[in-house]
Amino acid sequence: MAINNPAGDHFNPPSNLSQDFEEYNFEDLEVDELFWQTNKPKEESVPWRKVSLTEGRNLKTQKIYSFQRRTKVFQKI
């Protein structure tokens, strides 16, 4: 027989302040799309913009960096 435990029976959904990210390869993004290098918003989460097939711009420093085509990047959902 199942035991009823009201104190232990609760649903703890993620807060509405959490951000959802989806993982992509750099090559799958379109030019001018925003992306992040991490899916953890608590870490330094600097947005990037893809500027060519192999380059992305750090939007905080405005410097352009090269990326491998298969680099894992993240986009907010």
Side-chain angles (χ1 to χ4, degrees):
M1 183 171 173
I3 298 173
N4 188 11
N5 182 0
D9 294 343
H10 60 279
F11 176 66
N12 190 12
S15 80
N16 62 352
L17 300 176
S18 69
Q19 298 174 343
D20 293 330
F21 289 89
E22 194 164 327
E23 184 177 306
Y24 292 94
N25 286 328
F26 186 78
E27 67 183 351
D28 296 335
L29 300 179
E30 298 291 329
V31 173
D32 285 336
E33 281 192 307
L34 288 176
F35 67 94
W36 284 257
Q37 288 188 293
T38 179
N39 62 349
K40 297 173 179 62
K42 301 242 188 245
E43 294 178 9
E44 173 111 11
S45 182
V46 177
W48 293 74
R49 185 174 302 279
K50 184 173 180 179
V51 294
S52 72
L53 293 176
T54 59
E55 295 178 325
R57 179 186 305 271
N58 180 318
L59 295 180
K60 187 173 183 179
T61 64
Q62 295 298 312
K63 293 185 180 177
I64 295 177
Y65 295 91
S66 293
F67 285 86
Q68 298 292 325
R69 296 174 61 98
R70 295 282 181 180
T71 301
K72 298 288 183 197
V73 296
F74 301 90
Q75 285 191 309
K76 289 185 182 180
I77 298 176

